[in-house]
C-alpha cells in the first residue's frame, strides 16, 4: 500500500502564489505516474496536472496551463505543485494521486490507485 499526504495549502490573494507538496510512504518503489486533482464546493472533482515517473512528461488542464508547474523528487518521495498567478476560481481542495490502471484515462479519477486526503486552497480577491 501507498499513503499520500498533502501539505502547503492555505490562503492567498489573487495574483499570489502557493506551493503544494505530497509525500508518499509505504511501498514507494513502483514507478507510479502522479497527478493533482481539485474539487471546488458544489463542483465535480477535476484534473489539474499529471507527471510521469521520471518527470520527463507533464500534462496540464487548460485552467492550469501557464500558471501551474508540476514536479517530483523521487529520492524524497515527494510531488509538488507550484501555483502562480492565483485566481479566486482556483479555490478548492487539492488532492494528490498516484498509480495507473489499464482501461482508464489519465485525466480521470479512475486512472489512479492511491489518493491523499486533500489540502484546502483559498484565493481571495
Amino acid at each position: 500500500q501507498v499513503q499520500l499526504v498533502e501539505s502547503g495549502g492555505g490562503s492567498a490573494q489573487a495574483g499570489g502564489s502557493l506551493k503544494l507538496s505530497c509525500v508518499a510512504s509505504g511501498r514507494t518503489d513502483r514507478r507510479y505516474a502522479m497527478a493533482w486533482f481539485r474539487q471546488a464546493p458544489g463542483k465535480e472533482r477535476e484534473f489539474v496536472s499529471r507527471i510521469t515517473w521520471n518527470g520527463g512528461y507533464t500534462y496540464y488542464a487548460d485552467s492550469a496551463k501557464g500558471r501551474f508547474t508540476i514536479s517530483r523528487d523521487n529520492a524524497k518521495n515527494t510531488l509538488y505543485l507550484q501555483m502562480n498567478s492565483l485566481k479566486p476560481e482556483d479555490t478548492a481542495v487539492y488532492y494528490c494521486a498516484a498509480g495507473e490502471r489499464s482501461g482508464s484515462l489519465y485525466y480521470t479519477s479512475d486512472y489512479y490507485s492511491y489518493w491523499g486526503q486533500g489540502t484546502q486552497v483559498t484565493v481571495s480577491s
Side-chain angles (χ1 to χ4, degrees), residues 98-113:
E100 180 179 333
R101 288 175 175 164
S102 298
S104 299
L105 302 174
Y106 75 87
Y107 52 85
T108 65
S109 296
D110 287 347
Y111 189 83
Y112 303 94
S113 300

Side-chain angles (χ1 to χ4, degrees), residues 5-7 9-10 18 20-22 35-40 45-49 63-64 67-68 81 83 86-97 115-123:
V5 179
E6 303 95 337
S7 63
L18 287 172
L20 307 183
S21 298
C22 172
W36 290 97
F37 285 73
R38 68 187 184 186
Q39 187 167 19
R45 186 173 298 186
E46 66 172 340
F47 170 77
V48 177
S49 186
S63 61
R67 300 188 299 123
F68 294 1
L81 184 68
M83 304 186 293
L86 285 165
K87 304 174 181 179
E89 49 263 45
D90 294 320
T91 295
V93 176
Y94 283 71
Y95 297 92
C96 173
W115 292 84
Q117 294 301 304
T119 185
Q120 177 71 50
V121 170
T122 302
V123 183

Side-chain angles (χ1 to χ4, degrees), residues 24-89:
S25 61
R27 294 195 64 180
T28 59
D29 55 313
R30 296 185 63 181
R31 299 181 177 183
Y32 293 117
M34 298 187 75
W36 290 97
F37 285 73
R38 68 187 184 186
Q39 187 167 19
K43 304 294 183 181
E44 297 293 325
R45 186 173 298 186
E46 66 172 340
F47 170 77
V48 177
S49 186
R50 174 183 182 263
I51 188 169
T52 55
W53 172 80
N54 65 0
Y57 297 93
T58 57
Y59 308 87
Y60 297 93
D62 287 342
S63 61
K65 196 174 302 180
R67 300 188 299 123
F68 294 1
T69 302
I70 190 170
S71 62
R72 66 192 296 170
D73 186 339
N74 288 340
K76 298 180 179 179
N77 297 316
T78 302
L79 174 74
Y80 304 98
L81 184 68
Q82 177 67 50
M83 304 186 293
N84 297 326
S85 302
L86 285 165
K87 304 174 181 179
E89 49 263 45

